[in-house]
Amino acid sequence: MNVFESFNLCGHAVTVVIVLSLALCESSTHTMSTSSSPAGESSVLHGDSIQFDLVPDIVMHGSVVQVSYQCSRACEVGVEVVVSTQTKTEVAVFRRRWTNHRHLHVPRTHPVKLWFPPGMAYRKDLFMRRTLDVHNVMVRAWLDHLEQDKGDKGHVNRTNTYNGSLVRTFKVLQAVLPSERPARLYPGCFSWMADLMWQLTRDRIHQCPHESDTVDMLTFPMVSTGKSFGVIRKIHPFINRDLERDRVLTVEQPSITVSIWVFLVQWCDKKLCGIIHHVDQNSKYDTPLMQLTNTGDIIIQVRVVSGGDQAFRAHTALPLWTWIRLDCFIQGSKVTLQVKPEMTLGGMVEHTHIFDFQSDIHYNDTGGYFVIGGGRFMPGFHGYFGPIKYYRLGTEKVINFLSPAKTLEGLEKTHRECDVIREVTAAFLQAVTHNQEVFMTGLCHSHYISLWRRFGQNTCRQTWTWEAQKKHRALFTFLETQQKDFTTGTKNRRTPLHLGRRLFEQVVNRLSNRGSNQMDSTTTSSLIALLQMSSCYGYHHASLLLSTIHLAGLGAPVDQQQGHVYSLIGALGDNRLALMHLGYKHTQGIDGFPKDFDMAYSYYSNVGAQTSIDQGRVLGNQQYITEHILISNEDHLNSLTHETGDTFQYIKFQADRGDVESQKLLAKLLFWGQNGVSKDVGSAVKWYTKSAMELEDPAAMYEYSILLFKGQGVKRNMTLGLQILEKAAAKGSVQALNGLGWYYSTILRDYKTAYKYFEQAAHNGSHDGMFNLGVYHLNGKNPHNPEKNETAAFHLFLNSSLYGHVDGAVEAAWYLSTGNLEGVSQDTERAVIMLKQICEQNGYLGYIVREALQVYLQGSRGEALVRYALAAETGLGVAQNNVAYLCEELKQSYDCQWRYYNHSTMNYAPHDSGLLKMGDYYYSSSGLGAVDQAISLYSRAALAGSPQGIYKLVVLAEEGHDVPLIIRDRLNISIHDGLDIVVERLLQRCVELDEDEDLTPCTLALLRVRMGKSWRKMTQDPIQLSLVYISVVTLIIALVTVLIQSALECLQVHIPARQRRHTPDRAVDDRTGTSPVNQAEVNGNGQQDQNDPIRREDRMSRTVRMAQGLWSILLRDGQRVQQTVDLAVTVSGVCLCVLCTLILHHLL
């Protein structure tokens, strides 16, 4: 039956036992009777009976039950089998009914054959993979009278049941274990393969995964900045059917427990701040809602079963600067709140607050979502959250320890030390202020009087003791150096934030001017002390730098706990870079931070909202557009257009000549300070004005009109701005259409006209128009459909975010993180990716990157390393690559290079330089799986369009490694293709990517591969192979004959020309070998030949005759050699031409 298909075999809860199962221990048959007739008609009661005569003891398919019954009038008899499982009770699996009209007052017997579901009667097999594990099996019989009409003819009442019958009986059958049940017989035989598969899987035991009702909502400290950006958690139903059933049964009688650790830096600066709250599917507050007041009290609100909301206030006055655990127990209608401080501080002891709402509380944790801290509709407090445990089915004993203990204790300790530093500084500044007239005069005073005036004030008290000065020696040294500035400078110079900035810049300057590329321990210790003071003053670039030093080990040993402490402190100060740092760490799950997209979203959403606000203040000197310049790439550095550079001067020259594109480019560079150009809003407005008013360029007209509306760099003029905006829209500017929509919406409050302009702009691709149109849908201001349409708004926000719209990304990410909108599933990872991309547009991050680039170009690589490291810790890929490059240049540890190159590869769109560096690292290492890692990294670089990545894959393929399937699919390479085809396709793609360069390694490698391919084709053809042999032989002959001819020519050159012109008869004499003087005489009378001219002449004549004979021989043989050379060269030339033609044919 289909009813068994929904049974879940997993679970361990004991089934609820029905009342009738009290007879489980009895083996005899029981009969019960009830009377449905008026009192006194005992004949009806005693005239009806039913019982089992024969019934099996165990569950057996096809067994027979004998039912004996007697009816006093027309009756209906029924037999049924009910079972109880782990999740359900009294499920009918068999039912049979019949009627008796004629045989009244006569005992009758009726056999009934029982048929059980196969999953209950047989063991599992090839076709029945799931069996039903039943706890109780009961066969029941009952009898009831038929209803009578006016004709006294009974008819069946189909509403009759066992519990409502006149008489009834039952028998409990013994359930058979699934392993002891008989095998089911099938007609025919299994195939060999099917039988083999069954034999391999028959003994496999399927188990449900362990599932607990305890949820760790937070395991790592979370920063609450006091804004509306908390951690969103969504609770899903239990997988285990027993647990899910228990949860559903307690929706209107809840039993839950929530344990929360909090660390308050200050109480709520608003009326109410969120600690934890539950939002239902309709975006309304649900049970529980826990809030903090501005006096340190706690308010707990719940929703009761009747539908209303009720709350109570616990007067707790929570202490500051210490960890406190809040345990909230909800049981039925009662709420208990226990406040437990980590340690007894200032008289704070454990408190318990109990309140009974007198009505059951409604609670469904799977509807909607939970928010830890501030949410979209409520701000959070200023402090930290520690571990949070949630017991979905309640508990009497809470086990929630403060962990990680060292990190949280270090956090508390650091805050207390910072509080002391701020007190000391305030006292010092007060002393300086009181003695200002002394420092301002030019008189000399006694040193002891000066010390008394400085340290003898009652306002300083214990702060100025010798122990305090010794402990804070670095602080006092710094304050002494700044004393003159305190007395002569403005009041702003004495603010803690200004002091923190001065300390930070001092540290950075010492890093750049110390003259060494390595930091020794003494230098590191002193710099860390200064940075700690800067962090305490509230300048949280120092907090981020401290975190970087401890996490990356830059000049100091790696200390993740200290790194975590300063990461959290920097984020508490709402520093944009520190928030991005935490978001990035939780996104990747590195440096000891758990991978948690929900926590990453809370930090990134904060920065995203600040980025939207910062865009309206981008004219400040602390904000620039983030530029992706790799300092290891010469092309990137050469592309910078400084004011004194040739490129900038050329653009300016073209702009002066009236080129509108040059004017717009120059205005953009000056307005935003891009590409190495300093900000100059006044000059930018001049060029915008010129291109808009004189040349009437639509894009420039829109930009200039916005400047007029906002009064940025020019006097505000709404009328002129509207006129120019309308002109720009008429000329086809899409952004101008959105601008007109903004004007009609914000200034004129004409929403219908504004909607028309927004709609036109959105349909033409304006991301601002898409966002504004989404806002109209969200607020129900669509004139065609005034209803609130969140779905349409979400899709418009999402589309605008694809074009880089900051506000659109923030709104779309919120819907993705909650998953509370119908049709939009929760996808926090996607939300984090969107927010990270728009957060990297933040102007303050761009300022850090620009400063790092400027100091690098000025030759200060140490300072550039520090500033790039700050940006790299936020997850900015270009900064990570630059830090790794600087670590390599400055001879820093290899871990520094590996760390940042490795981190750059973890980004969602990494630069290929980092991928290639890490690929080379793994390729050169000998670890297990290193080559596979290298192939993966090279493949990612190749997919990103890197020719070098493809070339690396070619090298690995030629070494015998497999090319990844994703690369094969992209290049249409089959898994059956040989190595030659794979290598050729890869190199061909590499050459296509390197089309800007004429000669590359890929080009040469592709030529080599194709030449080898052509050669193999030629050697496989006998005719072409013979041609190759002929070409080689003739070429060798030609070379040999050429060498012989060269030797003969050398001999010819050494014979004197005058010896070649003697008479032929002398030549004949030479050939005959006759001579008037023999050789012996010449040798014997050599001395005489020198003195006798006649003999000397005769000897010379004989030499000439011999040379002439040799010349005639060489002349005759040289002609033959020349003929051989000509023939060999001709044949080899023809063969080579044919051979080259064949090679070109194969190549093409």
Side-chain angles (χ1 to χ4, degrees):
M1 295 184 180
N2 293 333
V3 69
F4 296 100
E5 295 177 1
S6 61
F7 287 169
N8 191 339
L9 302 182
C10 304
H12 305 283
V14 178
T15 307
V16 178
V17 181
I18 60 175
V19 176
L20 296 179
S21 63
L22 294 174
L24 282 174
C25 60
E26 301 181 12
S27 60
S28 60
T29 303
H30 301 266
T31 302
M32 298 178 293
S33 63
T34 60
S35 175
S36 60
S37 303
E41 296 184 10
S42 60
S43 60
V44 174
L45 177 63
H46 297 286
D48 297 289
S49 65
I50 189 170
Q51 67 179 7
F52 289 122
D53 288 341
L54 178 65
V55 63
D57 293 329
I58 63 174
V59 175
M60 183 180 299
H61 192 66
S63 58
V64 178
V65 174
Q66 292 281 359
V67 182
S68 296
Y69 65 95
Q70 179 178 334
C71 300
S72 61
R73 64 181 185 181
C75 64
E76 180 184 15
V77 184
V79 175
E80 62 185 13
V81 177
V82 295
V83 300
S84 298
T85 66
Q86 294 177 345
T87 58
K88 295 186 178 181
T89 59
E90 293 194 33
V91 178
V93 299
F94 174 83
R95 183 176 285 124
R96 182 69 54 82
R97 296 187 183 191
W98 66 92
T99 59
N100 181 16
H101 296 274
R102 298 179 182 178
H103 307 284
L104 304 178
H105 303 286
V106 177
R108 293 187 59 82
T109 302
H110 188 86
V112 178
K113 199 169 186 178
L114 300 180
W115 297 98
F116 295 98
M120 179 178 168
Y122 300 109
R123 67 178 62 179
K124 67 178 182 178
D125 54 25
L126 179 62
F127 299 103
M128 186 176 62
R129 295 301 182 96
R130 290 187 177 184
T131 58
L132 184 63
D133 186 10
V134 294
H135 291 175
N136 299 314
V137 182
M138 184 185 301
V139 56
R140 308 189 301 192
W142 51 269
L143 183 150
D144 204 0
H145 291 165
L146 299 178
E147 294 182 358
Q148 302 288 333
D149 56 10
K150 294 182 180 180
D152 197 28
K153 183 179 179 180
H155 64 274
V156 177
N157 181 11
R158 291 301 179 185
T159 62
N160 287 347
T161 61
Y162 175 81
N163 293 325
S165 61
L166 185 65
V167 291
R168 52 189 177 267
T169 185
F170 70 91
K171 172 68 181 296
V172 176
L173 305 183
Q174 181 181 355
V176 182
L177 295 176
S179 60
E180 298 177 359
R181 296 172 187 171
R184 188 178 185 182
L185 299 178
Y186 293 95
C189 299
F190 298 151
S191 67
W192 179 85
M193 182 59 69
D195 185 65
L196 176 62
M197 291 300 298
W198 167 242
Q199 295 299 330
L200 293 175
T201 60
R202 60 184 300 178
D203 296 327
R204 183 179 299 169
I205 300 175
H206 297 277
Q207 296 181 350
C208 289
H210 174 72
E211 188 173 13
S212 173
D213 69 320
T214 304
V215 179
D216 291 318
M217 301 189 75
L218 271 186
T219 58
F220 191 83
M222 188 202 87
V223 176
S224 177
T225 60
K227 295 184 178 180
S228 301
F229 308 103
V231 173
I232 297 174
R233 298 292 194 195
K234 203 170 182 68
I235 305 298
H236 300 282
F238 286 109
I239 299 175
N240 187 298
R241 291 291 184 88
D242 293 336
L243 294 176
E244 179 61 15
R245 181 191 59 190
D246 294 342
R247 185 197 67 80
V248 173
L249 291 176
T250 59
V251 167
E252 296 186 354
Q253 290 182 344
S255 175
I256 65 168
T257 304
V258 181
S259 178
I260 307 170
W261 281 99
V262 294
F263 183 94
L264 301 179
V265 174
Q266 66 180 46
W267 288 335
C268 182
D269 54 0
K270 303 291 192 300
K271 187 176 181 180
L272 293 172
C273 293
I275 298 177
I276 187 171
H277 59 276
H278 182 203
V279 181
D280 65 9
Q281 302 93 321
N282 301 317
S283 298
K284 296 181 179 179
Y285 291 129
D286 205 341
T287 306
L289 171 61
M290 187 181 296
Q291 299 169 293
L292 178 70
T293 68
N294 53 7
T295 59
D297 296 337
I298 294 178
I299 294 178
I300 297 180
Q301 176 179 308
V302 298
R303 178 174 296 173
V304 295
V305 174
S306 60
D309 294 330
Q310 297 183 19
F312 80 96
R313 180 168 185 156
H315 297 279
T316 55
L318 299 180
L320 305 179
W321 308 104
T322 187
W323 286 102
I324 306 168
R325 197 177 85 182
L326 307 174
D327 295 339
C328 180
F329 302 85
I330 299 179
Q331 188 75 32
S333 62
K334 185 186 296 184
V335 177
T336 303
L337 176 65
Q338 294 180 354
V339 181
K340 300 180 179 180
E342 180 195 12
M343 59 183 68
T344 302
L345 184 66
M348 177 65 181
V349 294
E350 180 178 338
H351 291 284
T352 301
H353 306 266
I354 303 175
F355 188 86
D356 194 341
F357 288 100
Q358 305 299 323
S359 177
D360 285 339
I361 298 171
H362 180 274
Y363 179 71
N364 182 12
D365 60 358
T366 60
Y369 56 92
F370 289 82
V371 181
I372 302 170
R376 189 178 182 90
F377 312 107
M378 180 186 302
F381 63 84
H382 201 67
Y384 305 96
F385 282 95
I388 299 180
K389 280 188 180 293
Y390 166 43
Y391 299 87
R392 300 182 67 180
L393 300 180
T395 184
E396 295 181 356
K397 183 179 180 181
V398 175
I399 302 176
N400 186 17
F401 300 108
L402 192 64
S403 64
K406 291 185 178 180
T407 299
L408 299 182
E409 291 171 1
L411 197 63
E412 181 177 354
K413 178 182 177 182
T414 303
H415 273 289
R416 294 190 182 278
E417 290 177 351
C418 286
D419 190 40
V420 173
I421 288 175
R422 287 190 292 267
E423 289 180 359
V424 170
T425 304
F428 186 90
L429 291 175
Q430 185 179 8
V432 171
T433 304
H434 289 171
N435 295 324
Q436 183 173 359
E437 68 282 1
V438 177
F439 295 116
M440 293 292 292
T441 61
L443 301 176
C444 295
H445 296 274
S446 169
H447 176 65
Y448 297 101
I449 296 177
S450 177
L451 291 176
W452 178 83
R453 288 180 175 176
R454 182 177 303 173
F455 303 111
Q457 303 286 339
N458 292 331
T459 57
C460 298
R461 296 191 303 275
Q462 297 179 359
T463 304
W464 302 100
T465 62
W466 171 251
E467 290 77 9
Q469 296 180 55
K470 183 179 180 181
K471 181 178 180 181
H472 302 286
R473 181 175 55 184
L475 172 63
F476 279 98
T477 302
F478 169 72
L479 293 175
E480 286 289 340
T481 57
Q482 303 297 316
Q483 181 172 323
K484 183 177 180 180
D485 193 30
F486 294 156
T487 56
T488 60
T490 61
K491 186 177 181 179
N492 291 334
R493 289 180 175 269
R494 295 193 295 270
T495 61
L497 186 62
H498 177 76
L499 294 177
R501 184 182 293 108
R502 293 282 296 272
L503 276 169
F504 178 79
E505 295 299 332
Q506 181 178 336
V507 170
V508 173
N509 290 334
R510 286 179 61 179
L511 287 174
S512 60
N513 297 327
R514 67 183 187 274
S516 173
N517 294 331
Q518 299 288 340
M519 289 194 295
D520 53 50
S521 59
T522 304
T523 304
T524 303
S525 178
S526 61
L527 295 182
I528 288 178
L530 294 177
L531 289 174
Q532 288 172 344
M533 289 188 293
S534 178
S535 172
C536 291
Y537 287 141
Y539 192 73
H540 292 294
H541 280 18
S543 303
L544 181 57
L545 183 54
L546 280 169
S547 174
T548 304
I549 290 173
H550 289 300
L551 293 177
L554 293 179
V558 174
D559 189 346
Q560 287 190 351
Q561 293 176 352
Q562 281 297 104
H564 295 167
V565 167
Y566 286 105
S567 298
L568 295 168
I569 290 175
L572 184 66
D574 211 25
N575 181 271
R576 296 161 181 81
L577 271 63
L579 290 168
M580 291 180 65
H581 165 74
L582 279 180
Y584 172 67
K585 298 300 181 183
H586 282 297
T587 301
Q588 301 296 339
I590 54 179
D591 291 336
F593 293 86
K595 189 171 185 177
D596 190 332
F597 290 113
D598 293 330
M599 293 187 72
Y601 167 79
S602 69
Y603 297 124
Y604 275 128
S605 58
N606 189 349
V607 182
Q610 293 191 64
T611 301
S612 176
I613 298 173
D614 293 340
Q615 286 183 337
R617 309 169 183 169
V618 76
L619 295 183
N621 292 327
Q622 298 294 317
Q623 291 196 68
Y624 283 88
I625 292 178
T626 305
E627 296 180 304
H628 298 266
I629 304 295
L630 287 174
I631 59 178
S632 60
N633 192 318
E634 291 295 332
D635 294 336
H636 286 192
L637 295 178
N638 294 333
S639 65
L640 296 174
T641 56
H642 299 281
E643 290 88 340
T644 58
D646 295 337
T647 304
F648 183 84
Q649 295 299 325
Y650 176 76
I651 296 172
K652 188 175 181 181
F653 173 74
Q654 290 294 103
D656 290 330
R657 294 182 58 187
D659 182 62
V660 65
E661 296 299 329
S662 298
Q663 290 179 354
K664 290 191 296 182
L665 177 59
L666 189 60
K668 182 180 178 181
L669 292 175
L670 292 170
F671 187 84
W672 300 104
Q674 286 183 283
N675 218 27
V677 178
S678 301
K679 279 186 181 180
D680 190 346
V681 179
S683 300
V685 170
K686 182 187 72 172
W687 289 111
Y688 274 131
T689 305
K690 195 169 185 178
S691 56
M693 304 301 291
E694 296 180 7
L695 303 178
E696 294 189 348
D697 180 79
M701 294 172 72
Y702 167 74
E703 298 289 348
Y704 183 58
S705 64
I706 297 301
L707 294 177
L708 289 171
F709 281 133
K710 295 182 177 181
Q712 293 180 340
V714 66
K715 187 177 180 180
R716 188 174 185 181
N717 191 332
M718 302 288 288
T719 304
L720 179 59
L722 178 61
Q723 293 175 358
I724 298 174
L725 196 63
E726 289 175 339
K727 272 185 164 185
K731 287 179 173 290
S733 173
V734 177
Q735 291 293 352
L737 292 172
N738 176 74
L740 287 174
W742 171 85
Y743 183 84
Y744 278 92
S745 175
T746 306
I747 307 300
L748 301 182
R749 306 289 180 181
D750 185 355
Y751 302 120
K752 186 175 182 179
T753 305
Y755 182 87
K756 179 188 70 174
Y757 282 119
F758 286 146
E759 191 173 32
Q760 291 179 7
H763 289 168
N764 285 278
S766 169
H767 59 277
D768 288 323
M770 294 176 190
F771 174 78
N772 291 327
L773 197 62
V775 172
Y776 266 57
H777 282 290
L778 185 62
N779 296 329
K781 293 182 180 180
N782 182 358
H784 308 296
N785 184 15
E787 296 290 333
K788 183 178 180 180
N789 191 342
E790 286 189 276
T791 302
F794 165 72
H795 289 293
L796 286 166
F797 292 150
L798 187 63
N799 290 336
S800 66
S801 69
L802 298 178
Y803 294 94
H805 197 280
V806 176
D807 292 318
V810 171
E811 294 295 328
W814 182 80
Y815 283 105
L816 290 172
S817 66
T818 62
N820 215 33
L821 181 63
E822 185 177 358
V824 179
S825 59
Q826 187 183 29
D827 192 349
T828 312
E829 182 177 2
R830 184 182 179 188
V832 168
I833 295 173
M834 292 169 51
L835 289 174
K836 183 178 185 295
Q837 291 174 348
I838 62 106
C839 288
E840 290 177 352
Q841 303 176 22
N842 188 272
Y844 289 92
L845 178 61
Y847 173 76
I848 291 292
V849 175
R850 178 186 174 88
E851 287 295 306
L853 179 61
Q854 295 297 326
V855 296
Y856 174 79
L857 295 176
Q858 295 170 7
S860 180
R861 297 190 176 185
E863 184 177 351
L865 175 63
V866 173
R867 297 189 183 275
Y868 269 129
L870 293 177
E873 288 297 316
T874 66
L876 186 65
V878 64
Q880 291 171 338
N881 280 280
N882 288 343
V883 171
Y885 175 76
L886 287 171
C887 288
E888 188 175 357
E889 289 291 309
L890 296 174
K891 309 300 182 184
Q892 293 283 346
S893 64
Y894 192 75
D895 292 338
C896 175
Q897 306 171 38
W898 183 89
R899 168 188 172 84
Y900 286 104
Y901 277 134
N902 186 42
H903 285 185
S904 70
T905 64
M906 297 178 183
N907 293 322
Y908 293 98
H911 196 275
D912 56 1
S913 62
L915 294 170
L916 294 172
K917 282 285 188 179
M918 288 307 300
D920 294 341
Y921 168 80
Y922 283 113
Y923 179 72
S924 60
S925 64
S926 58
L928 183 63
V931 177
D932 294 335
Q933 288 281 355
I935 292 175
S936 175
L937 292 165
Y938 290 148
S939 299
R940 292 174 61 189
L943 293 174
S946 169
Q948 190 174 353
I950 297 178
Y951 185 78
K952 297 283 188 180
L953 287 177
V954 170
V955 173
L956 290 170
E958 291 180 337
E959 290 180 359
H961 300 284
D962 293 331
V963 177
L965 291 177
I966 188 172
I967 301 294
R968 289 177 175 268
D969 294 339
R970 185 69 63 89
L971 300 178
N972 297 322
I973 303 174
S974 172
I975 58 175
H976 303 292
D977 290 335
L979 178 62
D980 293 341
I981 297 177
V982 173
V983 171
E984 185 177 2
R985 293 278 182 85
L986 289 173
L987 290 173
Q988 187 174 358
R989 178 59 178 164
C990 180
V991 171
E992 292 174 359
L993 294 173
D994 261 340
E995 58 183 2
D996 296 337
E997 300 183 17
D998 296 332
L999 190 61
T1000 62
C1002 289
T1003 305
L1004 298 175
L1006 182 60
L1007 179 61
R1008 171 182 60 82
V1009 170
R1010 289 183 173 176
M1011 289 288 291
K1013 184 178 178 181
S1014 301
W1015 176 258
R1016 284 190 295 272
K1017 287 183 179 181
M1018 292 179 60
T1019 55
Q1020 293 172 359
D1021 189 343
I1023 299 176
Q1024 297 181 13
L1025 183 59
S1026 301
L1027 182 62
V1028 172
Y1029 287 151
I1030 295 173
S1031 301
V1032 173
V1033 171
T1034 54
L1035 184 60
I1036 293 174
I1037 293 173
L1039 291 175
V1040 172
T1041 52
V1042 167
L1043 291 175
I1044 295 174
Q1045 185 180 12
S1046 301
L1048 293 176
E1049 290 178 354
C1050 290
L1051 291 175
Q1052 182 180 357
V1053 171
H1054 288 83
I1055 297 176
R1058 64 185 183 87
Q1059 295 177 0
R1060 305 173 196 166
R1061 294 192 294 269
H1062 286 276
T1063 59
D1065 56 340
R1066 300 291 296 269
V1068 173
D1069 294 337
D1070 293 336
R1071 287 195 299 269
T1072 59
T1074 60
S1075 177
V1077 183
N1078 55 31
Q1079 185 66 25
E1081 292 177 346
V1082 174
N1083 293 334
N1085 302 319
Q1087 186 67 26
Q1088 297 178 5
D1089 291 341
Q1090 296 178 2
N1091 301 325
D1092 191 352
I1094 298 174
R1095 291 187 178 184
R1096 188 169 57 252
E1097 181 67 23
D1098 185 55
R1099 182 169 52 83
M1100 291 180 62
S1101 64
R1102 287 197 304 270
T1103 303
V1104 169
R1105 288 196 297 273
M1106 293 174 62
Q1108 287 176 345
L1110 181 60
W1111 167 249
S1112 62
I1113 295 173
L1114 294 176
L1115 184 63
R1116 183 175 65 252
D1117 295 339
Q1119 293 174 355
R1120 296 174 184 173
V1121 171
Q1122 183 63 41
Q1123 293 174 0
T1124 304
V1125 170
D1126 294 340
L1127 179 61
V1129 169
T1130 303
V1131 174
S1132 62
V1134 173
C1135 293
L1136 288 175
C1137 289
V1138 175
L1139 188 62
C1140 292
T1141 304
L1142 291 174
I1143 292 175
L1144 291 175
H1145 171 72
H1146 289 301
L1147 288 175
L1148 299 177

